[in-house]
């Protein structure tokens, strides 16, 4: 299955559905990033113990930051370097808040270094799926150009704008 086939049905969705899809992908990325951070830090593979569930809940603090910085306004239209830079900035702000929460709360079983590891892993996951989406969109645009009938249409040029 190619990236193009993966994203084709998503493009026909409504704007709200695309935003919900992007939010859901980020929520999953944040939770997986917490799990990976625990694994990287204390080699824990199983279910959360002690007060570790609080760290998973705190990971959802990214949602208001991402919404405030407009990462869900135009989900697939601006999925290039600008969106990646905006994602990095949003994760930086979120990471500071997440780290502060871990420092203040001092939950049992949650190492403070999780506040540094999780945002880095989250940036890789959230940025990664955005790069993947951009790649799929570029592939689809290239395929659409190859499938064109060979005519070039220049909008606003009248009859002189159609060339075969």
């Amino acid at each position: 299955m190619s990236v193009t086939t993966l994203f084709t049905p998503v493009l026909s969705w409504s704007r709200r559905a695309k935003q919900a899809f992007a939010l859901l992908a980020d929520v999953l990325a944040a939770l997986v990033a917490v799990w990976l951070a625990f694994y990287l830090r204390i080699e824990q593979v199983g279910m959360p113990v002690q007060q570790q569930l609080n760290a998973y809940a705190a990971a959802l603090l990214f949602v208001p930051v991402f919404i405030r910085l407009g990462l869900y306004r135009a989900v697939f239209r601006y999925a290039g370097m600008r969106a990646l830079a905006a994602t990095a900035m949003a994760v930086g702000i979120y990471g500071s808040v997440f780290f502060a929460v871990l420092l203040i709360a001092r939950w049992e079983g949650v190492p403070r270094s999780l506040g540094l590891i999780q945002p880095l892993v989250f940036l890789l996951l959230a940025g990664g799926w955005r790069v993947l989406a951009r790649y799929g969109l570029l592939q689809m645009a290239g395929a659409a150009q190859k499938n064109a009938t060979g005519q070039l249409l220049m909008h606003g040029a009248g009859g002189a704008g159609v060339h075969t």
Side-chain angles (χ1 to χ4, degrees), residues 2-3 9 37 63 72 107 130 136 141 148 157:
S2 71
V3 175
V63 174
Y72 301 117
W107 291 310
R130 284 172 169 78

Side-chain angles (χ1 to χ4, degrees), residues 4 35 37 40 50 53-54 72 76 78 80 86 90 93 101 114 118-119 125 142 148 155 158 161:
T4 307
W35 183 82
L40 291 170
Q50 297 168 342
L53 278 177
N54 295 334
Y72 301 117
F76 292 110
Y78 305 109
I93 294 168
V101 166
L114 196 80
Q118 191 273 347
L125 294 175
H155 294 282

Side-chain angles (χ1 to χ4, degrees), residues 49-146:
V49 294
Q50 297 168 342
Q51 295 180 328
Q52 291 176 350
L53 278 177
N54 295 334
Y56 285 90
L60 299 179
L61 289 171
F62 84 88
V63 174
V65 174
F66 276 36
I67 290 173
R68 180 74 176 123
L69 292 178
L71 264 65
Y72 301 117
R73 274 192 212 122
V75 177
F76 292 110
R77 190 178 305 158
Y78 305 109
M81 286 305 294
R82 287 178 57 196
L84 203 53
T87 303
M89 184 175 71
V91 170
I93 294 168
Y94 152 73
S96 301
V97 172
F98 184 71
F99 187 60
V101 166
L102 292 184
L103 284 176
I104 293 168
R106 297 189 180 274
W107 291 310
E108 189 175 332
V110 179
R112 305 312 156 249
S113 59
L114 196 80
L116 299 173
I117 299 169
Q118 191 273 347
L120 291 173
V121 174
F122 181 46
L123 177 61
L124 290 174
L125 294 175
W129 86 257
R130 284 172 169 78
V131 168
L132 187 65
R134 177 66 173 170
Y135 174 75
L137 291 173
L138 289 175
Q139 292 292 348
M140 289 172 53
Q145 286 178 346
K146 289 178 186 174

Side-chain angles (χ1 to χ4, degrees), residues 6-67:
L6 183 68
F7 284 104
T8 302
V10 176
L11 293 177
S12 64
W13 294 355
S14 71
R15 181 178 180 191
R16 290 284 181 209
K18 290 177 195 173
Q19 290 170 333
F21 175 78
L23 179 63
L24 178 64
D26 285 339
V27 166
L28 290 174
L31 296 176
V32 167
V34 173
W35 183 82
L36 282 170
F38 274 118
Y39 175 75
L40 291 170
R41 176 59 177 87
I42 58 176
E43 297 183 13
Q44 177 181 333
V45 186
M47 297 296 291
V49 294
Q50 297 168 342
Q51 295 180 328
Q52 291 176 350
L53 278 177
N54 295 334
Y56 285 90
L60 299 179
L61 289 171
F62 84 88
V63 174
V65 174
F66 276 36
I67 290 173

